[in-house]
Amino acid sequence: MSDSPAQHTIKSYDQDLRRLRDMIVQMGGLVENGVARATEAVLLRDPEAAMTVVEQDPRVDELEREAEQFVIKLIALRQPLADDLRHIFSALKVTDDLERVGDYAANIAKRSMALNQTTMSSTNSGIANMARLVQEALRKVIDAFAEDDAEKAMEVWRDDEAIDNIYNAIFRELITYMMEDPRNITACAHLLFVAKNYERIGDHATNIAETVYYAVTGKAVGEARPKGDSTPYATLPSKAS
Amino acid sequence: MSDSPAQHTIKSYDQDLRRLRDMIVQMGGLVENGVARATEAVLLRDPEAAMTVVEQDPRVDELEREAEQFVIKLIALRQPLADDLRHIFSALKVTDDLERVGDYAANIAKRSMALNQTTMSSTNSGIANMARLVQEALRKVIDAFAEDDAEKAMEVWRDDEAIDNIYNAIFRELITYMMEDPRNITACAHLLFVAKNYERIGDHATNIAETVYYAVTGKAVGEARPKGDSTPYATLPSKAS
């Protein structure tokens, strides 16, 4: 039995939407891998892992452009209604967040190379913890997107507080290391940015969580979660003052 | 003489596009103002200016959401063709960049409050220079967007290198200050992030420049401009080593 023309159109439209989702999940996998390799680069002082991340980042950007072009074609050809547009725009937002996560991974990888030139050899264990939590959030939120799972998305959203708390502790710890020994200063300055990059990846995972929630339920996440980086307000008594 | 229905439709479609542009230019003005006040907050140690920026940021986010909702309605009602979609998507991309610039302005403002608690009273003159260049780039690229001026957009794109050079110099300077006197460490750590925030605002101005160029000409900016923050690779000999 063959489909009627109308059924055929709906079928290929669904196929288009599925293809868009697959593109984004693929991009998510690449970005996840980037963060994992960047973390190896920092924790194991592995310059080859760092190079891989930097070299792969243009591929992430390319996937984002492909998704955008696909969406433009999809809208022009299918003229979707408002409800479908919500899903399509959500998909675009997610690619944008993933692209930025890719940038942060590349930045962490680059910083790891600078760290290899410094005198401080032990890596802050806080950063290892933070990296683990951030990777977990990223993996989970990509799953939530792939599975249209609003509840799983909200878990990621709630877990971001723990990441922010670790970040704030690391900031203070690094400042203390710098004060204790000026030889640590260059390394710690880079580690400050490494930690900040993980914190930003956590924020983007939270953004994706909000987008998934909105796409699935049609409602915005009500409760406003305050931004977790409290270090802009952080001060420490200067030991030498 | 009254319009035919077809002319009427085209007219109100043009009006919609103009309204979208006006919304974004308004958002641009608010964001520009935010960066200007944040700069006052840092350079003049003005906590009231800082509070204004932090308080206004939700309004920027609100304008972004309004623009997004308007675009979804516009696409659903008008079913624009691929060429118009390019303009509409470009507008969305610009709002996204502006929203992020607003976030960076708020972050600079928050850091200025932390700086007010530290012992280091003189502000790095490099930051004043950098802030001036970044504000100029932002003003110019919003003009380029408002006027569909691809040439002006390309000027902003080319000028970003100067901003990146200043940023790299400031990074090294701040590390040196920290090494010279541990009492400077907390302040300089915040100033590192302030400088980084300006550098990111410069990057977003460059993104907007690329978007304007693409919207006007239909072509991507060919030449790839390398990312300008070379500090991920930066190392300084530890004075004390």
Side-chain angles (χ1 to χ4, degrees):
Chain A
M1 222 170 69
S2 69
D3 294 338
S4 73
Q7 279 173 319
H8 180 73
T9 304
I10 290 165
K11 250 199 184 168
S12 54
Y13 181 48
D14 282 349
Q15 272 169 8
D16 280 350
L17 288 181
R18 217 170 315 140
R19 188 171 153 210
L20 178 61
R21 178 182 306 220
D22 288 347
M23 287 168 88
I24 292 165
V25 172
Q26 191 201 340
M27 191 179 166
L30 202 64
V31 166
E32 258 189 274
N33 186 261
V35 177
R37 302 298 317 258
T39 302
E40 281 170 35
V42 170
L43 298 183
L44 311 175
R45 299 280 191 267
D46 179 346
E48 270 179 49
M51 278 311 295
T52 315
V53 182
V54 174
E55 281 166 13
Q56 276 186 356
D57 193 46
R59 178 66 191 133
V60 175
D61 298 348
E62 207 178 293
L63 282 172
E64 190 198 16
R65 276 192 300 276
E66 278 173 32
E68 274 176 19
Q69 292 308 316
F70 186 74
V71 162
I72 291 183
K73 232 175 57 191
L74 184 69
I75 294 177
L77 290 176
R78 308 280 184 204
Q79 305 186 328
L81 301 174
D83 199 53
D84 287 324
L85 278 173
R86 195 181 75 223
H87 275 92
I88 294 171
F89 271 84
S90 298
L92 265 193
K93 265 187 178 302
V94 172
T95 61
D96 185 57
D97 281 304
L98 288 176
E99 190 265 331
R100 283 165 206 265
V101 172
D103 282 347
Y104 287 115
N107 208 273
I108 291 169
K110 288 180 198 168
R111 296 268 171 206
S112 79
M113 295 194 228
L115 279 169
N116 290 345
Q117 312 296 317
T118 62
T119 46
M120 193 177 168
S121 61
S122 78
T123 301
N124 190 294
S125 70
I127 286 189
N129 268 334
M130 190 176 183
R132 194 179 42 75
L133 288 184
V134 165
Q135 286 177 272
E136 212 172 286
L138 191 60
R139 186 189 47 70
K140 205 166 174 180
V141 85
I142 293 169
D143 285 353
F145 172 80
E147 297 155 11
D148 261 342
D149 187 337
E151 194 31 58
K152 195 177 268 185
M154 286 312 291
E155 282 173 30
V156 175
W157 192 82
R158 281 185 293 262
D159 288 349
D160 193 49
E161 206 178 331
I163 294 173
D164 290 336
N165 289 341
I166 293 196
Y167 171 68
N168 292 325
I170 291 174
F171 183 90
R172 284 169 180 79
E173 204 179 326
L174 289 171
I175 298 280
T176 308
Y177 287 154
M178 290 190 198
M179 288 177 176
E180 279 171 7
D181 186 346
R183 281 172 300 186
N184 293 334
I185 286 178
T186 303
C188 287
H190 288 301
L191 285 171
L192 276 178
F193 281 108
V194 167
K196 184 71 192 168
N197 285 334
Y198 280 113
E199 192 257 349
R200 294 297 294 142
I201 294 175
D203 283 347
H204 285 290
T206 308
N207 288 350
I208 295 173
E210 290 181 1
T211 303
V212 169
Y213 186 86
Y214 173 69
V216 175
T217 66
K219 281 178 232 151
V221 176
E223 213 180 328
R225 216 188 57 82
K227 287 272 167 83
D229 174 4
S230 71
T231 69
Y233 301 107
T235 48
L236 269 186
S238 299
K239 266 182 72 177
S241 70
Chain B
M1 223 171 66
S2 69
D3 293 338
S4 73
Q7 279 174 321
H8 179 74
T9 305
I10 291 166
K11 250 198 182 168
S12 53
Y13 182 48
D14 282 349
Q15 272 168 8
D16 280 351
L17 288 181
R18 218 169 314 139
R19 190 172 150 211
L20 178 61
R21 180 183 305 221
D22 288 347
M23 287 168 88
I24 292 166
V25 171
Q26 190 202 341
M27 190 180 167
L30 202 65
V31 167
E32 258 189 274
N33 187 261
V35 177
R37 303 294 322 258
T39 302
E40 282 170 34
V42 170
L43 298 183
L44 310 176
R45 298 282 190 268
D46 180 346
E48 272 181 46
M51 278 309 296
T52 316
V53 182
V54 174
E55 281 166 14
Q56 276 185 356
D57 193 47
R59 177 68 191 130
V60 174
D61 298 347
E62 206 179 295
L63 281 173
E64 190 198 15
R65 276 193 299 276
E66 278 173 33
E68 273 176 18
Q69 293 308 317
F70 186 74
V71 162
I72 290 182
K73 233 174 57 189
L74 184 69
I75 293 178
L77 289 176
R78 306 284 183 200
Q79 306 186 329
L81 300 175
D83 199 53
D84 287 323
L85 277 172
R86 196 180 73 225
H87 275 92
I88 294 170
F89 272 84
S90 298
L92 266 193
K93 264 187 179 302
V94 172
T95 61
D96 183 57
D97 281 304
L98 287 176
E99 189 265 333
R100 282 164 207 264
V101 171
D103 282 347
Y104 287 115
N107 209 274
I108 291 170
K110 288 180 198 166
R111 295 267 171 208
S112 79
M113 296 195 229
L115 279 169
N116 291 345
Q117 312 296 319
T118 62
T119 46
M120 193 177 167
S121 61
S122 78
T123 301
N124 190 295
S125 69
I127 286 189
N129 268 334
M130 191 176 183
R132 195 178 42 74
L133 288 184
V134 165
Q135 286 178 272
E136 213 173 285
L138 191 60
R139 187 188 47 70
K140 206 167 173 178
V141 86
I142 294 168
D143 284 354
F145 172 79
E147 297 156 11
D148 260 343
D149 188 337
E151 192 32 57
K152 195 178 266 184
M154 285 313 290
E155 282 172 31
V156 174
W157 192 81
R158 281 186 293 262
D159 288 350
D160 193 50
E161 205 178 332
I163 294 173
D164 290 335
N165 290 340
I166 292 194
Y167 171 68
N168 292 326
I170 291 174
F171 184 90
R172 284 170 181 76
E173 206 180 324
L174 288 171
I175 297 280
T176 309
Y177 287 154
M178 290 190 197
M179 288 178 178
E180 278 171 5
D181 185 347
R183 282 172 299 185
N184 293 334
I185 286 177
T186 304
C188 286
H190 288 300
L191 285 172
L192 276 178
F193 281 109
V194 167
K196 184 71 193 170
N197 285 333
Y198 280 114
E199 193 256 349
R200 294 296 295 143
I201 294 175
D203 284 346
H204 284 290
T206 307
N207 288 351
I208 296 174
E210 289 181 1
T211 304
V212 169
Y213 186 87
Y214 173 68
V216 175
T217 67
K219 281 177 231 150
V221 176
E223 214 180 326
R225 216 186 59 81
K227 288 272 168 81
D229 173 3
S230 71
T231 69
Y233 300 109
T235 48
L236 268 185
S238 300
K239 265 183 74 178
S241 70

